[in-house]
Amino acid sequence: MFSSYSILVLCFGGLARAATVTYDFNITWVTANPDGLLNRPVIGINGQWPLPYITATIGDRVVVNVLNQLGNETTSLHFHGIYQNGSTEMDGVTGVSQCPIQPGGSFTYNFTIDQPGTYWYHSHETAQYPDGLRGPLIVNDPNSPYKGQYDEEMVLTVSDWYHDQVPKLMKSFISVTNPTGAEPVPKSALMNDTYNLTTPVEPGKTYMFRIINVGAFAGQYFWFEGHTMRIVEVDGIYTEAAEADLIYITAAQRYSVLVTMRNDTSTNYAFVGSMDQSLFDTVPASLNPNGTGWLVYDDTAPLPTPAILDTFNDFDDLTLVPTDGEELLGPVDYSFNLDLKMDTLGDGANYAFFNDITYVRPKVPTLYTALSAGDLANNATIYGINTNPHVLQHNDVIEIVVNNNDTGKHPFHLHGHALQAAARSDEDAGQYVGNETLGAVPMRRDTFMVRPMGNIVLRFRADNPDKSPFPLPYHTFPSTLSYSLVTLSANTTSPRIWFFHCHIEWHVASGLIATMIEAPSLLQSTLSIPPDHYDVCKAQNLPFAGNAAGNDVNFLDLTGAPEPPGPLPAGFTPRGIVALVFSCLSAFLGIAVISWYGAGEIGKQEPGKGTKEAVVAAGVEDETKDVGLGVTES
């Protein structure tokens, strides 16, 4: 076992060779028009949008100082795909690892990156990032297995885009007027947060394109016309090179592909990201689902219109082979099903469920509950049934079977880990029955898509934070030497709280989430929460100790814990709710028309016989102005 002194020397020796990259992010509203169709408010950083890239080299320490200057919204930052070894408090999920950052509040994210690859950052607060708070995060690797096989790198984001802001979209999405749960349909598809993107290239050169879907909803089919892609990395996992003409990128997934340019400059070539319209309940006639860019060999030559594809024969990512050859994990220590469904609750709105539970944010962030619960940290009850908690023991092999009892595709993401896909069914295969053939060296990534009415079997080892050589509870230079010795000599394995959720942002908002509480039996190995993290809770009078109900006296008393609406009364169906709502609207409209007609008749009477003057003279409040305005607006 290392002494405190030897650990200190080893850790600081490593830090001396690595760099610290610091970003100061003032999060503000700005105006932008990325699709050329509408100027609208978007969330920018330091007064600019699109947002800056975060770039680092493997081993670097990243410090992001956040100041929330939105004025009217709370916020946070999550670093998607970064495992946060030893720094779960920096994961950025409100209600899980932190309180939301209030307007005017500040917060520092401080962590070491020990993994290379293509990632991104985004808000993890109340479906906020579709309003623009998302950007690339690139971790360079001096020892990449593909070093020397390409000439340049390019980052290419694809996304869907909405004209209405998220609060308005959310109000209409989770609503009695939308009992079927139809998700908002985007207005446009973007590339690098713009349209008609041009990318200068040189003949014969090979480029590595880091492609990131930063959208809220739509998966995208992606291809380069006249060129072949060689996939070499997905979600931070190096793969054996595999050729593909077309790939499917769900929301939150990433691909790095090598593309070699042709040896002449006679023609420019389009590349296309086409939104998966099968996800949309309705497709507006005005929708252009394609975002188009061009590989520009000659800037004086025309930009050709891309060809129309009748079918999309996309590449199966489960056929990829990780270069590290990691075999299927087993034997399984803990396996559980997450059965997915969409259903309507008593408020008439549609919600998403795992095992009949729709997620509701607890009063106390789940991490803070674990840190304050003592010996009860192993008891899933304290985290609240509506966080869908699963307690995982340290180093166990975990198997999650997702049965998709829904007619839509769902991209599932786990924080803190990469997932092995042991098996994935075809569409309409039904629930997993356990007799499928499992891959010997399964594909691994942090976001996998499950097909409609199908299933997927996912495995991982509950080993975070032990994957990095020297995980520290608090990745920063200690303020005093005595603090350094105490921290470094402590058992650095402490509980980790990770989200598992669908990465369609509308489904996150409607509750398609489970919580993984990893290694809570090791709670007594301290995790230091920086003071500014607690300060944002204090500033909003939010509790930061206790169970899901905020009870820090009796952790088993969940009285007052946040709950979803009650169940739908027996006999009601979404179709019935729609009929009821529109019947009521028709009734109100009829009453309004009668009132308007009646008001017109009253206006014809002589003074003293029911006119406005007579009503006022009788001492009754005049409401005819409001009635008139209501009829005019309707």
Side-chain angles (χ1 to χ4, degrees):
M1 185 175 181
F2 290 109
S3 67
S4 297
Y5 175 78
S6 62
I7 293 177
L8 186 66
V9 170
L10 286 168
C11 289
F12 283 171
L15 288 172
R17 289 189 295 273
T20 297
V21 292
T22 302
Y23 294 85
D24 295 320
F25 282 179
N26 295 333
I27 299 177
T28 63
W29 290 106
V30 299
T31 300
N33 185 2
D35 61 0
L37 300 175
L38 180 75
N39 284 308
R40 56 151 292 185
V42 302
I43 300 176
I45 287 177
N46 302 333
Q48 297 183 348
W49 194 87
L51 302 189
Y53 296 2
I54 293 177
T55 59
T57 299
I58 186 171
D60 284 353
R61 186 162 62 101
V62 175
V63 178
V64 182
N65 299 309
V66 172
L67 175 62
N68 179 5
Q69 293 185 319
L70 293 174
N72 63 336
E73 292 187 10
T74 55
T75 193
S76 77
L77 286 184
H78 167 62
F79 307 91
H80 182 108
I82 300 301
Y83 302 143
Q84 297 293 359
N85 298 134
S87 52
T88 188
E89 74 278 16
M90 303 296 176
D91 198 43
V93 186
T94 57
V96 180
S97 57
Q98 67 171 84
C99 293
I101 309 169
Q102 77 279 15
S106 60
F107 195 98
T108 295
Y109 297 96
N110 185 332
F111 54 93
T112 296
I113 295 182
D114 60 1
Q115 58 190 107
T118 307
Y119 307 94
W120 60 302
Y121 67 94
H122 60 83
S123 168
H124 223 304
E125 163 69 341
T126 319
Q128 186 177 65
Y129 83 75
D131 275 339
L133 188 47
R134 71 283 194 286
L137 191 166
I138 306 301
V139 185
N140 297 306
D141 182 8
N143 300 312
S144 165
Y146 293 99
K147 183 178 181 180
Q149 296 188 31
Y150 57 92
D151 299 287
E152 293 182 32
E153 290 186 15
M154 294 186 181
V155 176
L156 183 60
T157 65
V158 296
S159 65
D160 44 30
W161 187 248
Y162 293 86
H163 286 176
D164 290 325
Q165 290 177 252
V166 166
K168 181 178 180 180
L169 293 172
M170 284 292 298
K171 186 176 180 180
S172 60
F173 171 54
I174 302 181
S175 167
V176 67
T177 62
N178 184 35
T180 61
E183 300 87 354
V185 176
K187 293 294 185 181
S188 303
L190 302 179
M191 285 187 178
N192 283 358
D193 288 322
T194 188
Y195 64 102
N196 295 340
L197 177 70
T198 55
T199 303
V201 296
E202 296 183 30
K205 278 192 173 183
T206 296
Y207 295 84
M208 185 170 81
F209 289 89
R210 298 181 183 267
I211 308 169
I212 312 170
N213 188 339
V214 299
F217 182 16
Q220 297 211 17
Y221 299 96
F222 184 90
W223 67 96
F224 291 91
E225 291 194 347
H227 298 72
T228 299
M229 295 177 281
R230 285 186 292 146
I231 302 167
V232 295
E233 178 237 337
V234 293
D235 296 4
I237 304 297
Y238 289 122
T239 69
E240 295 179 5
E243 290 192 353
D245 294 321
L246 182 148
I247 55 178
Y248 184 85
I249 315 174
T250 72
Q253 285 184 334
R254 294 88 65 207
Y255 281 82
S256 288
V257 299
L258 302 183
V259 183
T260 299
M261 300 300 109
R262 292 171 172 259
N263 287 316
D264 64 80
T265 60
S266 60
T267 306
N268 299 319
Y269 293 88
F271 53 90
V272 181
S274 183
M275 293 190 294
D276 181 0
Q277 297 176 72
S278 73
L279 295 166
F280 306 157
D281 281 36
T282 58
V283 180
S286 60
L287 178 68
N288 176 8
N290 297 333
T292 305
W294 286 269
L295 299 173
V296 179
Y297 287 82
D298 180 357
D299 59 9
T300 65
L303 301 176
T305 300
I308 302 298
L309 298 186
D310 295 326
T311 58
F312 296 100
N313 298 313
D314 52 299
F315 184 90
D316 183 357
D317 61 335
L318 260 64
T319 63
L320 293 168
V321 180
T323 57
D324 61 13
E326 180 181 278
E327 296 181 354
L328 179 66
L329 294 172
V332 173
D333 298 294
Y334 177 40
S335 178
F336 58 94
N337 287 11
L338 291 176
D339 296 338
L340 182 165
K341 73 172 184 179
M342 305 294 187
D343 203 358
T344 307
L345 290 179
D347 62 350
N350 192 269
Y351 294 85
F353 299 79
F354 278 140
N355 299 346
D356 295 321
I357 297 172
T358 185
Y359 180 89
V360 182
R361 182 187 295 183
K363 289 184 178 179
V364 175
T366 303
L367 173 63
Y368 297 171
T369 292
L371 290 173
S372 60
D375 293 339
L376 287 174
N378 264 314
N379 190 329
T381 303
I382 68 172
Y383 303 105
I385 188 173
N386 294 304
T387 66
N388 218 327
H390 295 265
V391 175
L392 314 179
Q393 298 308 313
H394 181 56
N395 251 346
D396 276 1
V397 173
I398 310 301
E399 181 179 81
I400 303 174
V401 178
V402 179
N403 292 308
N404 180 15
N405 301 313
D406 180 58
T407 56
K409 301 172 184 174
H410 295 271
F412 285 105
H413 170 56
L414 176 64
H415 294 213
H417 293 274
L419 294 159
Q420 290 186 338
R424 178 172 60 191
S425 78
D426 292 333
E427 185 173 345
D428 294 324
Q431 297 205 346
Y432 178 67
V433 295
N435 61 358
E436 289 81 353
T437 300
L438 305 183
V441 181
M443 186 47 211
R444 203 165 74 249
R445 64 189 312 170
D446 61 55
T447 307
F448 276 105
M449 184 263 286
V450 60
R451 297 187 173 106
M453 303 301 291
N455 63 75
I456 192 167
V457 181
L458 304 169
R459 290 186 184 180
F460 68 99
R461 187 179 294 278
D463 60 358
N464 191 347
D466 290 349
K467 288 180 287 190
S468 57
F470 300 105
L472 300 180
Y474 183 23
H475 286 278
T476 187
F477 289 104
S479 58
T480 65
L481 181 59
S482 60
Y483 174 83
S484 169
L485 292 175
V486 168
T487 302
L488 293 174
S489 62
N491 180 347
T492 58
T493 302
S494 55
R496 305 300 180 212
I497 314 298
W498 307 118
F499 242 21
F500 179 81
H501 62 91
C502 177
H503 220 288
I504 291 174
E505 197 65 0
W506 311 117
H507 297 170
V508 175
S510 58
L512 199 50
I513 298 167
T515 309
M516 307 296 149
I517 297 120
E518 187 171 328
S521 61
L522 301 173
L523 179 65
Q524 300 310 314
S525 55
T526 61
L527 176 69
S528 300
I529 302 296
D532 68 319
H533 289 209
Y534 285 137
D535 287 345
V536 300
C537 304
K538 296 175 184 176
Q540 301 165 85
N541 294 317
L542 298 175
F544 50 90
N547 62 17
N551 189 333
D552 61 356
V553 177
N554 183 356
F555 275 77
L556 297 177
D557 182 0
L558 274 294
T559 303
E563 296 180 346
L568 191 69
F572 277 78
T573 65
R575 181 175 295 181
I577 292 173
V578 171
L580 177 62
V581 168
F582 280 97
S583 295
C584 292
L585 290 174
S586 298
F588 286 131
L589 182 61
I591 293 171
V593 170
I594 293 171
S595 300
W596 172 78
Y597 180 80
E601 290 298 311
I602 291 173
K604 296 178 183 178
Q605 295 181 17
E606 296 178 6
K609 296 183 178 180
T611 62
K612 173 180 175 181
E613 290 83 350
V615 172
V616 173
V620 180
E621 183 179 351
D622 178 18
E623 296 180 345
T624 57
K625 182 178 180 181
D626 290 339
V627 170
L629 285 174
V631 172
T632 302
E633 288 180 346
S634 66

